[in-house]
Amino acid sequence: ENDALLDKPEASISGKTQSNAQVIINGPLDDQILKAANDGSFSTKISLEEGQNEIVITALNSDGSEKSETRTVTYTKEEF
């Protein structure tokens, strides 16, 4: 969810794209490369820094097309 406020130093990332697409997730601390399942679904967890974190999710499809989405989440150590 965009603009989410989280109290844990990791975020779950999931989505759906074309079948077997390559998915690249650029997070604040690391990058991950995944392969979408036969139904196009993918999911993983990424580590967050305290404060605002920008996450870029890019799908590279077998036909050479590319689609990117950016999400921003905020990690705080404060309880809420």
Side-chain angles (χ1 to χ4, degrees), residues 8 11 16-17 24 27 30 34 50 55 61 67-68 70-71 75:
K8 293 188 169 71
K16 198 156 190 161
T17 186
I24 302 167
D30 56 4
L34 313 170
E50 189 170 9
I55 303 161
N61 299 310
K67 182 177 179 186
S68 292
T70 302
R71 297 286 184 260
Y75 163 54

Side-chain angles (χ1 to χ4, degrees), residues 2-80:
N2 202 30
D3 296 325
L5 181 62
L6 305 174
D7 62 353
K8 293 188 169 71
E10 68 178 15
S12 296
I13 306 293
S14 62
K16 198 156 190 161
T17 186
Q18 287 186 356
S19 174
N20 298 311
Q22 185 175 25
V23 180
I24 302 167
I25 300 173
N26 302 104
L29 298 175
D30 56 4
D31 299 330
Q32 295 185 28
I33 299 174
L34 313 170
K35 184 176 179 183
N38 288 336
D39 67 355
S41 64
F42 63 89
S43 65
T44 191
K45 293 187 181 214
I46 63 162
S47 298
L48 301 173
E49 296 179 315
E50 189 170 9
Q52 193 173 54
N53 294 263
E54 185 175 273
I55 303 161
V56 180
I57 304 152
T58 304
L60 304 172
N61 299 310
S62 58
D63 64 4
S65 64
E66 178 180 314
K67 182 177 179 186
S68 292
E69 292 195 16
T70 302
R71 297 286 184 260
T72 302
V73 298
T74 301
Y75 163 54
T76 181
K77 293 180 181 178
E78 295 178 26
E79 291 186 30
F80 56 88

